[in-house]
Amino acid sequence: MRIASLFLFLFLCGAAMRVDADATAPPLIPLPAELSYGSGHLRMDASTSIVLQPNDAANRATAGYLSSLLRRTRGLSPRILASAPEVVAITLVRDPHATVVNAEGYALDVDAHGVRIVSRDDAGLFHGVITLWQLMTPDALHGAVQVPVLHIRDQPRFVWRGLMLDSARHFQSVAEIERLLDQMAQHKLNVFHWHLTDDQGWRIQIKRYPELTRMGAWRTPPDAGHDGEPERYGGFYTQEQIRQIVAYAAARHITVVPEIDMPGHAQAAVASYPQFGVTGKRPSVSVDWGVNPYLYNVDDGSFDFMDHVLDEVMALFPSKYIHVGGDEAVKDQWQASPEVQAKMHALGLKDEDALQGWFINRIGLYLAAHGRQLVGWDEILDGGVSVDATVMSWRGSKGAIKAAQQGHDVVLSPAPDLYFDQLQSDRVDETAGRIPAQSLAHVYAFEPVPKELDAAQAAHVLGAQANMWTEHMPTMKHVEHAVFPRLDALSEVDWSPAASRDWNGFLGRLPAQFARYRAQGIGYADSTFAPDIKLDRNAALVGGTAQVTLSNQAGYGEMHYTLDGRAPDRHAPLYQAPFTVKLPVTVRAATFARDGSMLAAPRQRVLDRTSLLSLSGNEMPNCPGSDFRLRVQPMPDATSLAPVYSINVFNACQLYPATPMDGVARIHVDAIRLERNYALAHDAKLVVSRPHNTPFGELVVHQDQCTGLVLATLPLPDPEHSVRRFTLDAALPAQQGGHPLCLIYTAPIDGPLYALDRVALIPGTTKP
Ligand code: ACM
């Protein structure tokens, strides 16, 4: 790929400086393959129109898309005409013989008279139109815009530029999915991998098997009907709705790749049709996140079922690729079943992994006989799979390396790097998700071609995909927060030439993208730029003054702050170096881009004795020995992105950091009872169980270490007869000097899980 322009050269040189990229560079995401400037600008305004070639009905939708996007985001609604008018025009030309670009590519020229976009195919024209829309929305303003005279030649680096959405764990409406597809289109992403079936729900109507959606689409949440928990949760997409989504995507040049997960993650299907499971028994649709034990059977009747399901799937989805999962199938049920074992031996297969290989190959042959191609998670390699299968590498990149070396096509979607259910930052105000955080910078730095591959093997890398699992994303607000702006980083990873990757330049192009999000009501995360207000807590508690440091994850932008209660704006003091404050005071700070737009909404920190002694459970680390940690949000709380609670399902133990204890008289805990709905498969034995002295367990507070002196034991209320949020309060013995605390829940591990919402140490008169 050629990266010809001086512009890019300057861009790369700028990377070393922590300043905005070339202020005149158009804020395009993803960055085009080639861009060069002429001189001057073209003014585009309400009189600008779009000219479509006569007879190009196929691209009328593309022209209409541009017009409607401009209306919503720029207040301009160019008319669509068949011939060039006198006024400035955007001319769209699709020419199958154009030599200027490759598949999905386009050339875009702006001169003093108008804009011309030429492509070989419809997708290329669409991508060119999106680039033009971005050129016309370089800021948050409405009305006329000056677009620089320039020449762009652009084409994608990869053919598979994907985003997966899990609609099984939590369910999204058709309108919500269409909004997501719009954003994919605006980022030149072209594969929507739709995870439609799982243990917790079957979401696609299959007319031959109505129980799949009558029963399989609904689960009864633990604690249903109590404390705001709904009586049942679920939903499904009718075939008509699926056709609508597929058509909506196709109009935006996105292929929908459906996933029907097998042989594991099958509990909702087995709950609907137990005869296609292994045990013959009917489980309920699972409410447990993680790895559930239910597998499909391997008898002919079960394959007939899967073939019939796939018949309807293939009729709905024109995609060449059909995803059949293959992940996380724990083999306990197959091992325990004499019939399955007999079949395995009759087939001459050495173990259950080989049986899964045989299973997947059988499904692959069925798809191939219908002109389709199988794609599956990297476990499909474990039992040996036909080289025609495409492998989606999620257990890191090693599956992709092994598969490409064996000649499989591969898609990189490794956890945790491209798992958008990982938090974006460690901030205490970050919403639900998995830990560790995967920052925007981390996603931006992802390289889809593993360095272990030689050139021939690297040619098997189709591209990269981010996965939006939704166990901990109860609403679309959570999904949007998790996806944006990391989708911007993904789009550049997937589309732009590898050599043009430039983090600082990317940051410089984000303010315009944030404005586009705001214009479309997209709830993007500002975590990358949010001010962290840091100080030495203990020094402040002892001395009554604090040295305050402001920073953010990206180390980018201008932070302005106030100490007088006013909202920080650009006229507030600019943060340049740590400053000293006298308590009590409230520090407020916000981050701004060079163009004056706000990169991160104001954050505040109250600095007084009470606040400094009160910590959220989200800022209290795990006890040593177990890193596992999630932030969760129970459904009834999910009307906004907070509150969220940190849990470790293996060990309910957290540390309150060292604090001067002189004068601390009590401990006050805002606690929450949560469902212990985690299927841990063979890891269940790792859950730490502790003795308790009262029926429902206690919260035990130890001094210094988790084996240290017990300072307080706070019995937990009866879960059957108490609300899920409760407070615990106890006197503490007098202590001197600094001590950390270790807080342990001793509740039985076959009952609910407990989390710390907030822990406050209360000053007062202590008993000696
Ligand atoms: C997966 O995350 N189980 C593919």
Side-chain angles (χ1 to χ4, degrees), residues 169 259 261 265 327-328 377 379 394 415 419 467 469:
R169 273 54 176 269
E259 180 184 350
D261 209 339
H265 289 289
D327 57 321
E328 297 182 313
W377 301 110
E379 285 94 332
W394 76 277
Y419 268 41
N467 295 331
W469 298 105

Side-chain angles (χ1 to χ4, degrees), residues 6-7 10-11 20-28 35-38 40-41 134-135 138 146-150 508-509 594-595:
L6 177 64
F7 157 74
L10 291 172
F11 230 41
D20 280 0
D22 179 351
T24 62
L28 300 176
L35 188 156
S36 55
Y37 289 108
H41 285 79
Q134 292 191 351
L135 287 170
Q146 301 275 356
V147 175
V149 169
L150 51 71
R509 288 176 278 129
R594 275 277 170 82
D595 68 3

